[in-house]
Amino acid sequence: MAFTACAALCAVTACSTPPRPANAVIIPGPASADERVIEDPVDQRFVLYDTVKKVAVSWTNVSNEFVYNFTTPSDLYTMGNSLTNHFSIVQLQNGRAVTVYTLPDAAHDAIFPLAADGQNAFFLLVHYRDDGGEEWRHIVRWDPTTRTLHPFVHVEGAIEQGALAGPTLYFTVLRPDRAVWLYRLPAANLNAEPQLVSTHWTDDPLLAYEGRLVKVADHQFVFDSIHLPVRAVNVLTPQGVLVQFDDDPKSLTTRADVFQLSDGRHLGSATSVEGVEWMPNGVQLDCDGRVEIVSWSYAGGEEENPS
């Protein structure tokens, strides 16, 4: 359904004092200095992890409650219920999950991460009717200073995915005939008119590196001559490191693999992954019984993989 974001402006920006953040679901909180909240990207939940015993203590396990992450490293997430909504934006701060924004219309709105680059964050805001049917979708920009959401005025359609490539925000729209169209607009201009880039895109993950989109063909990421398979969860760092998560059929646990996109090098992996913590130049994989750290100094640099 086509829509214009102007009608919902006051619903998502600071037209009045924002409500005090609160969650309908209890997020596990650390009971000691040894415990930290981390994110499980495959099961889509927050996990309370004991860093000394190296085990998961508890996790969000409410029925139909899910945590959603960006496809780039970020401390911002959204969480909500697939049946009752009650969505919020949550930030991981020093091992704790802190709710920084709750949607004013908790029963009818949902919010999902769309694109982020470490400084800017954009979300997909979805509004549902009383009967549960979807009414419209907006792309909104997060203002961390005022904790408000600001919509793009001229964006419309069944928006699905997004990616930031330098100053440009790309997003895909699912058409009534199931075709996927790709658009772009300047990320800093909320009044910009989207430009159509392609009418023959794919519904695979939308990732960007070095100011351009990463191509996908036959369910594989293609960057120059490098081909890497698409996994269940794919996160691409600013250094061009692809961190992937999926179910491991051999161990029946979550497996993580880390690749350098520019040359296809395999930098590290881990099984029995309970959750992930992002570092400035690396990723910490908190596993059942151990912690694996995969670090990198710069794109194309030498890797380190201390256990």
Side-chain angles (χ1 to χ4, degrees):
M1 175 180 292
F3 62 87
T4 304
C6 295
L9 185 61
C10 287
V12 295
T13 58
C15 295
S16 60
T17 302
R20 188 166 68 95
N23 269 316
V25 173
I26 297 175
I27 302 173
S32 71
D34 299 333
E35 296 177 352
R36 296 177 60 84
V37 176
I38 59 177
E39 183 231 358
D40 178 346
V42 172
D43 289 333
Q44 293 183 260
R45 61 187 181 182
F46 285 129
V47 176
L48 190 60
Y49 186 81
D50 190 310
T51 59
V52 175
K53 298 178 180 178
K54 296 180 174 54
V55 295
V57 177
S58 63
W59 47 83
T60 50
N61 58 356
V62 177
S63 179
N64 301 304
E65 190 76 24
F66 297 103
V67 173
Y68 302 88
N69 62 281
F70 285 102
T71 55
T72 50
S74 176
D75 57 4
L76 290 176
Y77 302 83
T78 71
M79 64 179 303
N81 193 287
S82 61
L83 297 179
T84 63
N85 294 322
H86 289 87
F87 272 74
S88 56
I89 299 175
V90 176
Q91 186 175 31
L92 291 187
Q93 301 176 0
N94 300 317
R96 292 181 175 271
V98 179
T99 300
V100 296
Y101 184 83
T102 53
L103 295 178
D105 192 347
H108 298 95
D109 288 345
I111 191 167
F112 305 95
L114 185 75
D117 62 4
Q119 296 184 350
N120 304 286
F122 298 85
F123 295 89
L124 179 61
L125 181 66
V126 184
H127 182 77
Y128 300 95
R129 299 185 297 269
D130 287 335
D131 63 6
E134 185 178 307
E135 189 167 355
W136 49 253
R137 299 187 183 192
H138 295 166
I139 293 180
V140 293
R141 185 174 65 197
W142 170 245
D143 185 331
T145 303
T146 60
R147 294 190 176 184
T148 53
L149 300 172
H150 303 272
F152 284 88
V153 176
H154 301 293
V155 176
E156 58 181 24
I159 305 150
E160 288 198 309
Q161 300 188 71
L164 279 168
T168 303
L169 174 63
Y170 288 89
F171 63 94
T172 59
V173 174
L174 181 65
R175 303 291 295 179
D177 61 358
R178 310 304 295 176
V180 178
W181 288 15
L182 177 70
Y183 292 85
R184 68 184 177 192
L185 48 71
N189 186 359
L190 295 174
N191 292 305
E193 295 275 358
Q195 294 181 327
L196 180 62
V197 177
S198 173
T199 59
H200 297 85
W201 206 252
T202 72
D203 59 358
D204 291 288
L206 194 65
L207 303 178
Y209 175 54
E210 292 187 335
R212 57 178 168 142
L213 295 181
V214 178
K215 296 180 180 179
V216 180
D218 298 324
H219 210 52
Q220 287 190 322
F221 293 115
V222 181
F223 190 82
D224 295 333
S225 61
I226 303 301
H227 289 69
L228 294 171
V230 174
R231 301 299 189 191
V233 179
N234 308 272
V235 181
L236 186 59
T237 76
Q239 299 88 353
V241 176
L242 181 64
V243 184
Q244 300 182 299
F245 302 89
D246 213 336
D247 292 323
D248 187 345
K250 295 182 179 180
S251 63
L252 300 180
T253 64
T254 294
R255 177 183 176 89
D257 284 283
V258 184
F259 297 91
Q260 180 66 55
L261 184 63
S262 61
D263 56 19
R265 283 178 301 146
H266 187 243
L267 304 184
S269 63
T271 58
S272 301
V273 178
E274 298 285 5
V276 58
E277 296 183 70
W278 295 106
M279 304 160 59
N281 290 291
V283 60
Q284 179 170 312
L285 304 169
D286 296 323
C287 308
D288 186 12
R290 70 194 189 286
V291 171
E292 300 281 354
I293 296 177
V294 182
S295 59
W296 47 86
S297 57
Y298 57 90
E302 294 298 320
E303 71 271 18
E304 304 173 12
N305 187 16
S307 297

